[in-house]
Amino acid sequence: MNDSLSLPAGQWPDLQPGWVWLCGAGPGDPGLLTLHALNALRQADVVIYDALVQEDILTWAPQAEHIYAGKRGGKPSAKQRDISLTLVELAQQGKRVLRLKGGDPFVFGRGGEEAQTLVQHNVPIRIIPGISAGIGGLAYAGIPVTHRDVNQSVTFVTGHDQSGKTPTSLNWKAIATGSQVLVIYMGIKHAAQIAQALLDAGRPADEPCAVVSSATTKAQQVLETTLAQMATDIADSGMEPPAILCVGRSVLMRQVLDWQGMIAGNAPRNLDPLGRGRPAEAS
Ligand code: SAH
């Protein structure tokens, strides 16, 4: 691979002075950036990034000023309104502004709010989607977010709302009965309450669950458990945010699809975890 990662020839958009591009950085692994994100990093005068963005990624924007807009090391987080207004000010100063957010900017990331403020201030924008942790992070753990034998729908849920509590506005009964697979963001601190709400709504105690923390990074950890055991197992494991919870039988597929484990030399634990029968003959 060419170290400079030259973009293929073609019509790549210019990040013009006075514009803000709201861009997803993916869940962590820099290889999961999009080419549009790379193109943006190379042109930006200023990059404003969140805690979930791996700082390695910023090495692709050595020319830019890097502004940290997240909460880390006990420092208070920048207020959402301040971030949006900082973006407006930088654009009005004629900067090429790249707003880099973890995962996808429009998935539980307040990207919509920032974009709305920019438009309200007549700042031109471009949106660059990213791989969301609830899809790409699970894929790195060998868990397909949909699998034909398991689910025809998937529900993405946030485990806490603006107040930081488990969202009481959510109808957990409807969520529990609405789809076979639930993918819960920001849920690790409230895992006990979430699991209880799902059990109360009739999800089975032995339903397979997975917790994937720092997915796609070198610090990735994966816990396989059940709904009834999840909160205890999380506490015992010492796992910390950021983490995705996945509830549903697709978690069993990790027994055959833990590709990172296979790279590390482990044999798959079970070639047919859903009991579909013998592998199809290769023709
Ligand atoms: N916009 C982001 C989500 C932001 S909300 C996205 O699309 O992925 C923040 C939550 O995302 C975290 O609390 C966690 O639940 C999840 N998350 C983000 N990055 C993650 C990672 N690398 N591993 C596990 N969970 C992650």
Side-chain angles (χ1 to χ4, degrees):
M1 171 109 45
N2 178 345
D3 267 355
S4 71
L5 277 178
S6 309
L7 288 168
Q11 293 295 310
W12 292 93
D14 282 335
L15 173 44
Q16 310 260 6
W19 282 62
V20 177
W21 286 7
L22 258 107
C23 175
D29 181 346
L32 298 178
L33 282 176
T34 64
L35 292 179
H36 275 305
L38 183 58
N39 178 47
L41 281 160
R42 288 178 167 183
Q43 299 183 65
D45 296 318
V46 45
V47 181
I48 304 198
Y49 65 101
D50 281 344
L52 290 172
V53 174
Q54 295 288 299
E55 292 194 352
D56 297 0
I57 285 171
L58 301 174
T59 58
W60 277 308
Q63 78 291 348
E65 181 188 354
H66 302 161
I67 300 178
Y68 177 66
K71 185 179 174 180
R72 206 189 274 151
K75 283 188 231 140
S77 64
K79 294 253 180 344
Q80 187 59 41
R81 182 156 180 77
D82 294 348
I83 296 171
S84 297
L85 293 179
T86 303
L87 294 173
V88 170
E89 277 165 25
L90 289 166
Q92 286 173 346
Q93 289 164 16
K95 300 264 171 59
R96 299 173 178 85
V97 185
L98 174 58
R99 173 68 171 124
L100 201 56
K101 298 174 77 76
D104 182 279
F106 281 179
V107 178
F108 301 130
R110 302 185 182 170
E113 292 165 47
E114 292 179 19
Q116 182 179 11
T117 304
L118 290 162
V119 172
Q120 286 170 342
H121 287 81
N122 294 316
V123 175
I125 59 167
R126 182 184 184 97
I127 309 295
I128 302 175
I131 296 180
S132 192
I135 298 178
L138 292 180
Y140 265 46
I143 300 168
V145 78
T146 74
H147 187 69
R148 200 159 54 125
D149 294 327
V150 173
N151 61 324
Q152 287 67 50
S153 68
V154 56
T155 301
F156 297 98
V157 187
T158 172
H160 70 66
D161 61 14
Q162 286 165 336
S163 69
K165 307 231 169 68
T166 324
T168 39
S169 52
L170 289 181
N171 181 342
W172 284 99
K173 189 161 182 66
I175 290 167
T177 50
S179 56
Q180 300 96 330
V181 174
L182 311 176
V183 176
I184 303 163
Y185 291 67
M186 294 174 273
I188 193 168
K189 293 284 180 214
H190 300 296
Q193 289 144 278
I194 292 168
Q196 195 55 52
L198 295 173
L199 290 167
D200 290 347
R203 301 281 299 214
D206 63 354
E207 181 160 25
C209 296
V211 183
V212 187
S213 67
S214 297
T216 83
T217 73
K218 292 190 181 76
Q220 173 174 304
Q221 279 183 276
V222 184
L223 169 72
E224 290 174 51
T225 178
T226 60
L227 198 49
Q229 276 299 316
M230 179 164 68
T232 316
D233 287 351
I234 289 171
D236 291 348
S237 72
M239 283 167 99
E240 293 282 338
I244 290 288
L245 314 180
C246 179
V247 178
R249 289 176 67 249
S250 49
V251 165
L252 296 177
M253 288 301 288
R254 178 170 155 78
Q255 296 173 11
V256 63
L257 298 182
D258 175 15
W259 57 272
Q260 290 189 320
M262 291 187 256
I263 290 172
N266 304 326
R269 280 173 284 159
N270 181 350
L271 290 178
D272 187 20
L274 297 172
R276 281 212 91 202
R278 294 172 62 79
E281 298 264 317
S283 56

